[in-house]
PDB file of all heavy atoms in Angstrom:
ATOM      1  N   ALA A 401     -21.002  42.611-109.402  1.00  0.00           N
ATOM      2  CA  ALA A 401     -19.648  42.291-109.863  1.00  0.00           C
ATOM      3  C   ALA A 401     -19.144  41.079-109.124  1.00  0.00           C
ATOM      4  O   ALA A 401     -19.634  40.720-108.064  1.00  0.00           O
ATOM      5  CB  ALA A 401     -18.716  43.485-109.642  1.00  0.00           C
ATOM      6  N   VAL A 402     -18.128  40.493-109.736  1.00  0.00           N
ATOM      7  CA  VAL A 402     -17.481  39.328-109.137  1.00  0.00           C
ATOM      8  C   VAL A 402     -16.161  39.769-108.576  1.00  0.00           C
ATOM      9  O   VAL A 402     -15.373  40.407-109.275  1.00  0.00           O
ATOM     10  CB  VAL A 402     -17.267  38.225-110.194  1.00  0.00           C
ATOM     11  CG1 VAL A 402     -16.569  37.036-109.538  1.00  0.00           C
ATOM     12  CG2 VAL A 402     -18.601  37.810-110.770  1.00  0.00           C
ATOM     13  N   VAL A 403     -15.939  39.437-107.292  1.00  0.00           N
ATOM     14  CA  VAL A 403     -14.709  39.879-106.615  1.00  0.00           C
ATOM     15  C   VAL A 403     -13.710  38.745-106.671  1.00  0.00           C
ATOM     16  O   VAL A 403     -14.028  37.615-106.267  1.00  0.00           O
ATOM     17  CB  VAL A 403     -15.009  40.264-105.147  1.00  0.00           C
ATOM     18  CG1 VAL A 403     -13.731  40.687-104.476  1.00  0.00           C
ATOM     19  CG2 VAL A 403     -16.054  41.354-105.114  1.00  0.00           C
ATOM     20  N   ASP A 404     -12.520  39.080-107.236  1.00  0.00           N
ATOM     21  CA  ASP A 404     -11.447  38.086-107.303  1.00  0.00           C
ATOM     22  C   ASP A 404     -10.379  38.436-106.308  1.00  0.00           C
ATOM     23  O   ASP A 404     -10.121  39.606-106.033  1.00  0.00           O
ATOM     24  CB  ASP A 404     -10.828  38.067-108.718  1.00  0.00           C
ATOM     25  CG  ASP A 404     -11.863  37.622-109.742  1.00  0.00           C
ATOM     26  OD1 ASP A 404     -12.815  36.907-109.333  1.00  0.00           O
ATOM     27  OD2 ASP A 404     -11.717  38.011-110.906  1.00  0.00           O
ATOM     28  N   ASP A 405      -9.745  37.427-105.806  1.00  0.00           N
ATOM     29  CA  ASP A 405      -8.648  37.655-104.851  1.00  0.00           C
ATOM     30  C   ASP A 405      -7.395  38.031-105.620  1.00  0.00           C
ATOM     31  O   ASP A 405      -7.179  37.586-106.737  1.00  0.00           O
ATOM     32  CB  ASP A 405      -8.382  36.389-104.037  1.00  0.00           C
ATOM     33  CG  ASP A 405      -9.563  36.107-103.113  1.00  0.00           C
ATOM     34  OD1 ASP A 405     -10.298  37.062-102.797  1.00  0.00           O
ATOM     35  OD2 ASP A 405      -9.728  34.905-102.732  1.00  0.00           O
ATOM     36  N   ASP A 406      -6.539  38.853-104.989  1.00  0.00           N
ATOM     37  CA  ASP A 406      -5.308  39.303-105.638  1.00  0.00           C
ATOM     38  C   ASP A 406      -4.276  38.205-105.711  1.00  0.00           C
ATOM     39  O   ASP A 406      -3.406  38.217-106.570  1.00  0.00           O
ATOM     40  CB  ASP A 406      -4.720  40.492-104.872  1.00  0.00           C
ATOM     41  CG  ASP A 406      -5.653  41.685-104.921  1.00  0.00           C
ATOM     42  OD1 ASP A 406      -6.460  41.753-105.865  1.00  0.00           O
ATOM     43  OD2 ASP A 406      -5.572  42.537-103.990  1.00  0.00           O
ATOM     44  N   ASP A 407      -4.396  37.296-104.815  1.00  0.00           N
ATOM     45  CA  ASP A 407      -3.354  36.277-104.750  1.00  0.00           C
ATOM     46  C   ASP A 407      -3.683  35.063-105.606  1.00  0.00           C
ATOM     47  O   ASP A 407      -2.952  34.076-105.580  1.00  0.00           O
ATOM     48  CB  ASP A 407      -3.156  35.807-103.299  1.00  0.00           C
ATOM     49  CG  ASP A 407      -2.709  36.933-102.413  1.00  0.00           C
ATOM     50  OD1 ASP A 407      -2.086  37.863-102.965  1.00  0.00           O
ATOM     51  OD2 ASP A 407      -2.973  36.869-101.182  1.00  0.00           O
ATOM     52  N   ASP A 408      -4.800  35.125-106.374  1.00  0.00           N
ATOM     53  CA  ASP A 408      -5.168  33.939-107.156  1.00  0.00           C
ATOM     54  C   ASP A 408      -4.187  33.698-108.290  1.00  0.00           C
ATOM     55  O   ASP A 408      -3.858  32.571-108.634  1.00  0.00           O
ATOM     56  CB  ASP A 408      -6.580  34.096-107.733  1.00  0.00           C
ATOM     57  CG  ASP A 408      -7.618  34.034-106.620  1.00  0.00           C
ATOM     58  OD1 ASP A 408      -7.226  33.573-105.518  1.00  0.00           O
ATOM     59  OD2 ASP A 408      -8.767  34.456-106.831  1.00  0.00           O
ATOM     60  N   ASP A 409      -3.724  34.809-108.929  1.00  0.00           N
ATOM     61  CA  ASP A 409      -2.788  34.642-110.054  1.00  0.00           C
ATOM     62  C   ASP A 409      -1.468  34.083-109.584  1.00  0.00           C
ATOM     63  O   ASP A 409      -0.843  33.309-110.274  1.00  0.00           O
ATOM     64  CB  ASP A 409      -2.581  35.980-110.769  1.00  0.00           C
ATOM     65  CG  ASP A 409      -3.897  36.488-111.347  1.00  0.00           C
ATOM     66  OD1 ASP A 409      -4.788  35.641-111.586  1.00  0.00           O
ATOM     67  OD2 ASP A 409      -4.017  37.729-111.505  1.00  0.00           O
ATOM     68  N   ASP A 410      -1.047  34.534-108.424  1.00  0.00           N
ATOM     69  CA  ASP A 410       0.257  34.089-107.921  1.00  0.00           C
ATOM     70  C   ASP A 410       0.202  32.647-107.472  1.00  0.00           C
ATOM     71  O   ASP A 410       1.125  31.877-107.689  1.00  0.00           O
ATOM     72  CB  ASP A 410       0.707  34.970-106.752  1.00  0.00           C
ATOM     73  CG  ASP A 410       0.862  36.414-107.187  1.00  0.00           C
ATOM     74  OD1 ASP A 410       1.111  36.623-108.382  1.00  0.00           O
ATOM     75  OD2 ASP A 410       0.735  37.305-106.307  1.00  0.00           O
ATOM     76  N   ASP A 411      -0.904  32.280-106.847  1.00  0.00           N
ATOM     77  CA  ASP A 411      -0.970  30.926-106.291  1.00  0.00           C
ATOM     78  C   ASP A 411      -1.397  29.906-107.315  1.00  0.00           C
ATOM     79  O   ASP A 411      -1.259  28.707-107.089  1.00  0.00           O
ATOM     80  CB  ASP A 411      -1.952  30.888-105.115  1.00  0.00           C
ATOM     81  CG  ASP A 411      -1.498  31.781-103.998  1.00  0.00           C
ATOM     82  OD1 ASP A 411      -0.284  32.063-103.955  1.00  0.00           O
ATOM     83  OD2 ASP A 411      -2.342  32.197-103.154  1.00  0.00           O
ATOM     84  N   GLY A 412      -1.949  30.352-108.446  1.00  0.00           N
ATOM     85  CA  GLY A 412      -2.388  29.426-109.453  1.00  0.00           C
ATOM     86  C   GLY A 412      -3.673  28.725-109.106  1.00  0.00           C
ATOM     87  O   GLY A 412      -3.942  27.656-109.613  1.00  0.00           O
ATOM     88  N   GLU A 413      -4.414  29.303-108.209  1.00  0.00           N
ATOM     89  CA  GLU A 413      -5.656  28.672-107.817  1.00  0.00           C
ATOM     90  C   GLU A 413      -6.748  29.070-108.791  1.00  0.00           C
ATOM     91  O   GLU A 413      -6.652  30.055-109.516  1.00  0.00           O
ATOM     92  CB  GLU A 413      -6.016  29.097-106.398  1.00  0.00           C
ATOM     93  CG  GLU A 413      -5.010  28.606-105.359  1.00  0.00           C
ATOM     94  CD  GLU A 413      -5.403  29.064-103.979  1.00  0.00           C
ATOM     95  OE1 GLU A 413      -6.407  29.811-103.858  1.00  0.00           O
ATOM     96  OE2 GLU A 413      -4.710  28.679-103.000  1.00  0.00           O
ATOM     97  N   GLU A 414      -7.840  28.321-108.831  1.00  0.00           N
ATOM     98  CA  GLU A 414      -8.964  28.613-109.699  1.00  0.00           C
ATOM     99  C   GLU A 414      -9.728  29.801-109.179  1.00  0.00           C
ATOM    100  O   GLU A 414      -9.735  30.066-107.987  1.00  0.00           O
ATOM    101  CB  GLU A 414      -9.886  27.391-109.767  1.00  0.00           C
ATOM    102  CG  GLU A 414      -9.232  26.183-110.420  1.00  0.00           C
ATOM    103  CD  GLU A 414     -10.199  25.024-110.460  1.00  0.00           C
ATOM    104  OE1 GLU A 414     -11.320  25.189-109.926  1.00  0.00           O
ATOM    105  OE2 GLU A 414      -9.824  23.980-111.001  1.00  0.00           O
ATOM    106  N   ASP A 415     -10.318  30.510-110.177  1.00  0.00           N
ATOM    107  CA  ASP A 415     -11.101  31.677-109.768  1.00  0.00           C
ATOM    108  C   ASP A 415     -12.372  31.228-109.087  1.00  0.00           C
ATOM    109  O   ASP A 415     -13.001  30.244-109.463  1.00  0.00           O
ATOM    110  CB  ASP A 415     -11.466  32.527-111.008  1.00  0.00           C
ATOM    111  CG  ASP A 415     -10.229  33.111-111.640  1.00  0.00           C
ATOM    112  OD1 ASP A 415      -9.231  33.229-110.895  1.00  0.00           O
ATOM    113  OD2 ASP A 415     -10.272  33.445-112.834  1.00  0.00           O
ATOM    114  N   GLU A 416     -12.738  31.999-108.107  1.00  0.00           N
ATOM    115  CA  GLU A 416     -13.959  31.718-107.359  1.00  0.00           C
ATOM    116  C   GLU A 416     -15.028  32.665-107.843  1.00  0.00           C
ATOM    117  O   GLU A 416     -14.828  33.873-107.870  1.00  0.00           O
ATOM    118  CB  GLU A 416     -13.729  31.902-105.861  1.00  0.00           C
ATOM    119  CG  GLU A 416     -12.758  30.876-105.299  1.00  0.00           C
ATOM    120  CD  GLU A 416     -12.577  31.071-103.814  1.00  0.00           C
ATOM    121  OE1 GLU A 416     -13.209  31.994-103.266  1.00  0.00           O
ATOM    122  OE2 GLU A 416     -11.802  30.309-103.202  1.00  0.00           O
ATOM    123  N   VAL A 417     -16.162  32.112-108.248  1.00  0.00           N
ATOM    124  CA  VAL A 417     -17.284  32.916-108.740  1.00  0.00           C
ATOM    125  C   VAL A 417     -18.374  32.857-107.708  1.00  0.00           C
ATOM    126  O   VAL A 417     -18.750  31.772-107.257  1.00  0.00           O
ATOM    127  CB  VAL A 417     -17.794  32.382-110.102  1.00  0.00           C
ATOM    128  CG1 VAL A 417     -18.965  33.220-110.598  1.00  0.00           C
ATOM    129  CG2 VAL A 417     -16.672  32.383-111.115  1.00  0.00           C
ATOM    130  N   GLU A 418     -18.845  33.999-107.363  1.00  0.00           N
ATOM    131  CA  GLU A 418     -19.903  34.056-106.361  1.00  0.00           C
ATOM    132  C   GLU A 418     -21.233  33.723-107.016  1.00  0.00           C
ATOM    133  O   GLU A 418     -21.464  34.017-108.179  1.00  0.00           O
ATOM    134  CB  GLU A 418     -19.961  35.446-105.740  1.00  0.00           C
ATOM    135  CG  GLU A 418     -18.727  35.775-104.924  1.00  0.00           C
ATOM    136  CD  GLU A 418     -18.879  37.101-104.240  1.00  0.00           C
ATOM    137  OE1 GLU A 418     -19.918  37.762-104.471  1.00  0.00           O
ATOM    138  OE2 GLU A 418     -17.964  37.477-103.480  1.00  0.00           O
ATOM    139  N   ASP A 419     -22.113  33.111-106.296  1.00  0.00           N
ATOM    140  CA  ASP A 419     -23.436  32.754-106.783  1.00  0.00           C
ATOM    141  C   ASP A 419     -24.287  33.996-106.928  1.00  0.00           C
ATOM    142  O   ASP A 419     -24.252  34.889-106.073  1.00  0.00           O
ATOM    143  CB  ASP A 419     -24.112  31.785-105.812  1.00  0.00           C
ATOM    144  CG  ASP A 419     -23.347  30.482-105.744  1.00  0.00           C
ATOM    145  OD1 ASP A 419     -22.668  30.166-106.726  1.00  0.00           O
ATOM    146  OD2 ASP A 419     -23.422  29.808-104.680  1.00  0.00           O
ATOM    147  N   LEU A 420     -25.005  34.028-108.062  1.00  0.00           N
ATOM    148  CA  LEU A 420     -25.897  35.164-108.274  1.00  0.00           C
ATOM    149  C   LEU A 420     -27.160  35.002-107.468  1.00  0.00           C
ATOM    150  O   LEU A 420     -27.649  33.888-107.254  1.00  0.00           O
ATOM    151  CB  LEU A 420     -26.244  35.259-109.774  1.00  0.00           C
ATOM    152  CG  LEU A 420     -25.078  35.550-110.707  1.00  0.00           C
ATOM    153  CD1 LEU A 420     -25.565  35.550-112.158  1.00  0.00           C
ATOM    154  CD2 LEU A 420     -24.453  36.889-110.372  1.00  0.00           C
ATOM    155  N   LYS A 421     -27.672  36.081-107.071  1.00  0.00           N
ATOM    156  CA  LYS A 421     -28.890  36.065-106.262  1.00  0.00           C
ATOM    157  C   LYS A 421     -30.101  36.064-107.168  1.00  0.00           C
ATOM    158  O   LYS A 421     -30.067  36.470-108.314  1.00  0.00           O
ATOM    159  CB  LYS A 421     -28.915  37.271-105.332  1.00  0.00           C
ATOM    160  CG  LYS A 421     -27.806  37.230-104.291  1.00  0.00           C
ATOM    161  CD  LYS A 421     -27.916  38.409-103.357  1.00  0.00           C
ATOM    162  CE  LYS A 421     -26.836  38.348-102.315  1.00  0.00           C
ATOM    163  NZ  LYS A 421     -26.925  39.472-101.379  1.00  0.00           N
ATOM    164  N   LEU A 422     -31.228  35.632-106.689  1.00  0.00           N
ATOM    165  CA  LEU A 422     -32.481  35.588-107.429  1.00  0.00           C
ATOM    166  C   LEU A 422     -32.943  36.972-107.815  1.00  0.00           C
ATOM    167  O   LEU A 422     -33.537  37.186-108.863  1.00  0.00           O
ATOM    168  CB  LEU A 422     -33.555  34.880-106.608  1.00  0.00           C
ATOM    169  CG  LEU A 422     -33.301  33.385-106.334  1.00  0.00           C
ATOM    170  CD1 LEU A 422     -34.385  32.854-105.411  1.00  0.00           C
ATOM    171  CD2 LEU A 422     -33.280  32.609-107.640  1.00  0.00           C
ATOM    172  N   GLU A 423     -32.669  37.916-106.967  1.00  0.00           N
ATOM    173  CA  GLU A 423     -33.075  39.295-107.257  1.00  0.00           C
ATOM    174  C   GLU A 423     -32.386  39.806-108.520  1.00  0.00           C
ATOM    175  O   GLU A 423     -32.983  40.490-109.365  1.00  0.00           O
ATOM    176  CB  GLU A 423     -32.754  40.188-106.068  1.00  0.00           C
ATOM    177  CG  GLU A 423     -33.549  39.797-104.825  1.00  0.00           C
ATOM    178  CD  GLU A 423     -33.141  40.633-103.651  1.00  0.00           C
ATOM    179  OE1 GLU A 423     -32.203  41.448-103.791  1.00  0.00           O
ATOM    180  OE2 GLU A 423     -33.738  40.494-102.544  1.00  0.00           O
ATOM    181  N   ASP A 424     -31.068  39.480-108.658  1.00  0.00           N
ATOM    182  CA  ASP A 424     -30.329  39.933-109.834  1.00  0.00           C
ATOM    183  C   ASP A 424     -30.889  39.291-111.119  1.00  0.00           C
ATOM    184  O   ASP A 424     -31.039  39.932-112.160  1.00  0.00           O
ATOM    185  CB  ASP A 424     -28.848  39.594-109.706  1.00  0.00           C
ATOM    186  CG  ASP A 424     -28.261  40.301-108.488  1.00  0.00           C
ATOM    187  OD1 ASP A 424     -28.828  41.346-108.067  1.00  0.00           O
ATOM    188  OD2 ASP A 424     -27.225  39.821-107.957  1.00  0.00           O
ATOM    189  N   MET A 425     -31.214  37.974-111.007  1.00  0.00           N
ATOM    190  CA  MET A 425     -31.760  37.299-112.191  1.00  0.00           C
ATOM    191  C   MET A 425     -33.095  37.885-112.582  1.00  0.00           C
ATOM    192  O   MET A 425     -33.394  38.084-113.747  1.00  0.00           O
ATOM    193  CB  MET A 425     -31.923  35.800-111.913  1.00  0.00           C
ATOM    194  CG  MET A 425     -30.590  35.093-111.682  1.00  0.00           C
ATOM    195  SD  MET A 425     -30.824  33.371-111.237  1.00  0.00           S
ATOM    196  CE  MET A 425     -31.488  32.757-112.780  1.00  0.00           C
TER     197      MET A 425
END
Side-chain angles (χ1 to χ4, degrees):
V402 179
V403 179
D404 296 335
D405 292 337
D406 296 336
D407 298 333
D408 290 344
D409 298 336
D410 299 334
D411 298 338
E413 295 179 356
E414 295 180 357
D415 295 337
E416 294 181 0
V417 180
E418 293 185 357
D419 296 334
L420 296 177
K421 295 183 179 181
L422 295 175
E423 296 176 356
D424 299 336
M425 295 176 67

